[in-house]
Amino acid sequence: MVLPGKTLAWFGVVGLLDAVWSEHYLNAPALFSSGSLIALLLCGLALVALLRLPVISPWLSLAAFAVGLTQGVVHGQWALLPLSVAVGVFIAAWVQRFKMRYRWLGWLAALSCLAVAVACVLGQPGLRGADLLAPGVRTHIDAMLAVLGAYSIFMASLRPLAPPVNNKWLVLITVMGSLLAAIAWFVLAEQERQFQLGLDPSGFSMSTPALLIPLNQWLPDLIFSVCFAFTWMMTRTTRLSVVLLQRSKDLEYASLHDHLTGLPNKRNLIHAIETTCTQCQQTGESVGLVLLDLNGLKLINDSIGLEAGDQVLKEVARRIREVVAARHLVARLEGDEFVVLMRGVNKLDAIQCARAILAVIGQPYHHSGIELHLTASAGLTSTEGGCHRPGYAVASGGPGHYLCQT
């Protein structure tokens, strides 16, 4: 949905620049009226804002409708295309805001835009409101823009919009692809007009080969379609790869961290112990391991509820993380057991750290106006110069076992 919105916006911007260049450099009328281009620009911004800033999307669509209505009333140039797209985007934003209520209105608005596109293809008068002024020039760009608007409105009214994927390459592809499509169309359309008028930009006459006339008439629309289709495929591929990469990172994080507290889990802890012991064998540093077991958590779960127990566990994890130095690892084994892995500390410092943890765990907890109290026991093991059997140290306490009690 972002790509059609950016395409409409860039079409409006490039069209306004082309209008200024045509009037002041070629001394020729612009290909499109300024009111229609401004309305298309606002419609495109409204579609982009529907995903990024949904609060301002309805206001942008209302501004686009006001511009199109003013153009029709004041200048007599009624353009049904920007009016229908503006109304459709407003309805889609309204449907999204009210949790997909009356989504059939959005589908009806999308069908209306498709009807405008079909009418433009069939050459119904009074729909464009912004005619190509060069004689004999043919284009269905208005129908293409109406289809893009209809597709975006239908997708916005089909289901709640997913959060946008924030990736710089994805943004760059959509911006540059939609910009290139708009620039290519206007460049080729101006070239076609010069061929039809028999003039080059300097004002000298030139002959147009007969075989090039049919090609020139449909080349702008063809190039626009190719650029947009290529950008759409690149966007879909890039977005899919970004989503899969992000999900793989989330799965990897979930496999190594506890879902409740966010601390490293048992798998992560065992890997960290093995790595730390291997490194400390080379450096001669000491390794300390503190095992904490909470007392009274089961009583809180049974008497108040699991929600209170989960809140207490989160608070315990936060307190331990604040007491322990950032260079040490704090992990949650399972249930009410926590582990602190320390490197480069002597036995006395490890004991003092364990006592500090027990002190903060023993402080009161509060849940729904209820004051809760919790105690803990701590077992400590340490070794000098690394541990040759890390698994044994985790399971049995290893050499040099000390115990700190509450």
Side-chain angles (χ1 to χ4, degrees), residues 144-160:
M144 295 180 184
L145 298 178
V147 170
L148 294 181
Y151 169 78
S152 301
I153 296 166
F154 176 76
M155 295 302 297
S157 304
L158 184 63
R159 57 182 178 271

Side-chain angles (χ1 to χ4, degrees), residues 315 319 356-366 372-374:
E315 180 64 18
R319 293 182 183 183
I357 294 174
L358 294 177
V360 296
I361 292 178
Q363 297 177 2
Y365 301 84
H366 297 86
L372 305 175
H373 294 273
L374 197 67

Side-chain angles (χ1 to χ4, degrees), residues 43 65 79-89 109 112-114 116 146 153:
C43 287
F65 181 81
L80 191 57
L81 165 63
L83 290 175
S84 60
V85 174
V87 173
V89 174
S112 300
C113 292
L114 285 178
V116 172
I153 296 166

